[in-house]
Amino acid sequence: MGSLGTFQRKHKLAVVGSGNWGTAIAKIVAENAASNPDIFEQTVEMWVFEENVEIPKTSQNYDPSNPGPQKLTEVINRTHENVKYLPGVQLPTNLHANPSVEDAVKDGTILVFNLPHQFILKTCEQLKGKILPFARGISCIKGVDVNESGIHLFSETIGRTLGIYCGALSGANIANEVANEKWSETSVAYDPPPMDSKAPTPQRTPTSSQIDLVQFEHKDTSGQLSKIKLKALPSEYPPVDHAVLKALFHRPYFHVRVVHDVAGVSISGALKNIVALAAGWVDGMGWGDNAKAAVMRVGLLEMVKFGDKFFSATIDQRTFTEESAGVADLITSCGGGRNFRCAKHSVERNQPIEEIEKAELNGQKLQGTLTAVEVNRFLKKQGLEDEFPLFTAVYRILEGSMSVAEIPSHIER
Amino acid sequence: MGSLGTFQRKHKLAVVGSGNWGTAIAKIVAENAASNPDIFEQTVEMWVFEENVEIPKTSQNYDPSNPGPQKLTEVINRTHENVKYLPGVQLPTNLHANPSVEDAVKDGTILVFNLPHQFILKTCEQLKGKILPFARGISCIKGVDVNESGIHLFSETIGRTLGIYCGALSGANIANEVANEKWSETSVAYDPPPMDSKAPTPQRTPTSSQIDLVQFEHKDTSGQLSKIKLKALPSEYPPVDHAVLKALFHRPYFHVRVVHDVAGVSISGALKNIVALAAGWVDGMGWGDNAKAAVMRVGLLEMVKFGDKFFSATIDQRTFTEESAGVADLITSCGGGRNFRCAKHSVERNQPIEEIEKAELNGQKLQGTLTAVEVNRFLKKQGLEDEFPLFTAVYRILEGSMSVAEIPSHIER
């Protein structure tokens, strides 16, 4: 990365979110800041929603002389352990927990978003006008926002609200395995805006004090060209390109492939949860490995078809069949993810999946059931339910108008 | 299938082989003969290597008054159960076990081959000149014959030896699940020779008594055109096209997609076993679902690349990523197939895989280890080991020059 060291300024990193997956990603980002001191500022900010926690007695950071409730940020900064959301994992000392989201991001040039869905919009609204205007973002939030009118990527929601360009990270990444440095892979999707190109060009303004809004044409997920006004990244910073993003996320235990296809990476992270429900039901029926593989194959085909049909202008089909965010994440999710497990138990115990969800997920919501309903509403509006028989079957089983036993005949072609 | 009923003659079916998978396929073929009486003769012949068996006491066909050894063919024809290789499964009454392979195939117009690798060539040599010259074949034998000089499909070995055209069947098909009518899918690959085309043409001779050798150009797996002499199928028979093959193999519990890509279907059935070894080792290390999915993703990419590189003229990349013989069979094999299980145990028990193989497989051989060695010899000869890092890693781990722990860094790109 020596060639990147010729810039006057370094990127300042901030992670917005500190749940299980948020903290695991913050750990990686802070490790890489330390490993690449010529590109990144050393201290990485992590926004932590402040709460009082008691350090569990099982933690190596438990202190019998101070057993009472303490602020989570203080515990993290003192012990370098997120005792509430990622217990047992040692965090880098250059990761700084910050209870103020505004303070955490204020100097950040690269912002990593890793929040539950329901907090994204609210948090971005709160940050509007309070970030560097030329910051760039990466959304690690799985899934998409589908409704009758269309499909919106969270990276687009973030980008539009904050007026920045935002890419996405998604892959076969069970958070605890990543946090414990068990080897895995991921996909980072980022299509650098042209004014961020490496070589200083007339489009790149010379210093941060002089930067102006630069217009560029952005093809959105429907394939329509729109003009987006973005602040160019000042040329004193290394451009946020694929090499810098690899330096930011790649670890010996976390292999990164950087691609351009933000829509594909985001869409597959959402659609695979629908397939995982079907795989769980089929497995719960005791139909064996052949049947489970069949459901996954048909599901993968429908994922590809969905991309082709609704994102033909921007999506790369290979994202589904070749990248970690596609086929590998599908495999992991159907191997033992929560959507798979809840669906499987609902058949085995002959209970509605909502009851399993309540009993097993401690108040958290299943992503797959929500996505299945949203995708169905969208497909129905398009008159295309029949072209996606597995997605449609999953929806109908959820609403009770079809049985799991009907899946094979329903998807037979 | 009414439109097929206008032909004067029906296809006579024979299955060559009666092991676990052979009997499961024979059951399907006989069921479909019964379901499609306008296309197929009712009695389906199955060649059974004759041996004396004792009916287990657990079988519903056990007869205390006749407990001694009996001929397997007689037991199958009397009880409609293959008590030795597929116990507990009721076979159709129109499936006839025949101890003479020559007699079993002599009138067959469609021959289904389902034998262990080591018997293929010998059996075909024995049948040379003893089958109908215009017969057509389907090989259900998984794997390919790879050596330094190249890759040979078993369908080609059968076709060349017998002077017939032969396609292939392969998919995510654990035999016992299929035999027990648990839903699954498969791929049938068949590229009909032009003289078999549906409409009677000058190339199709009018009656079986008048047929002659017809030349057609065949693109072999290396992409080279060669002229093959084939007897045209007499026009009194329904042409062996994709519709007839679907009628022959498709069942409500066994969904068939017929494709043209014989090489792709055969190659993926072989290469996925190499990937399954890697997945088993990684799983045995306790690295979790992310790591297993990563290995499978990289393996799938190398399967696609192998096809592109060595079969570019004939292979369809989508066979690997879209068909049951590709990604679905990979998933099933890495879910709990024997290559996966033996590899996993070898790590968990810290024993060479050969010992696990001996202890667990009752004299049978692991396909994956053999294929990994053969593929490596071929790649080495081509100077292309480095382009297939996972396949190469599997070989090196087998020969002891690399450790499982080195897989991630070895395949890092």
Side-chain angles (χ1 to χ4, degrees), chain A residues 172 174 177 182-185 246 250 255 286 288-291 293 297-298 301 322-324 328 331-332 408 412-413, chain B residues 172 174 177 182-185 246 250 255 286 288-291 293 297-298 301 322-324 328 332 408 412-413:
Chain A
I174 296 169
E177 294 183 7
K182 291 182 172 179
W183 170 57
S184 70
E185 296 184 319
K246 190 154 182 178
H250 190 85
H255 287 193
D289 284 342
N290 295 347
R297 186 195 72 82
V298 173
L301 280 187
E322 296 185 8
E323 299 303 331
S324 179
I331 290 169
T332 301
E412 182 174 345
R413 291 283 139 139
Chain B
I174 295 169
E177 293 183 6
K182 291 182 172 178
W183 170 58
S184 70
E185 296 183 319
K246 189 153 184 180
H250 190 85
H255 288 194
D289 284 343
N290 295 347
R297 186 195 72 81
V298 173
L301 281 187
E322 297 186 7
E323 300 302 332
S324 179
T332 301
E412 181 174 348
R413 292 283 139 138

Side-chain angles (χ1 to χ4, degrees), chain A residues 59-61 72 75-76 79-83 86-89 91:
Chain A
S59 168
Q60 59 174 2
N61 292 308
L72 181 54
V75 173
I76 293 174
T79 68
H80 308 294
E81 182 189 2
N82 186 336
V83 294
L86 197 59
V89 174
L91 301 174

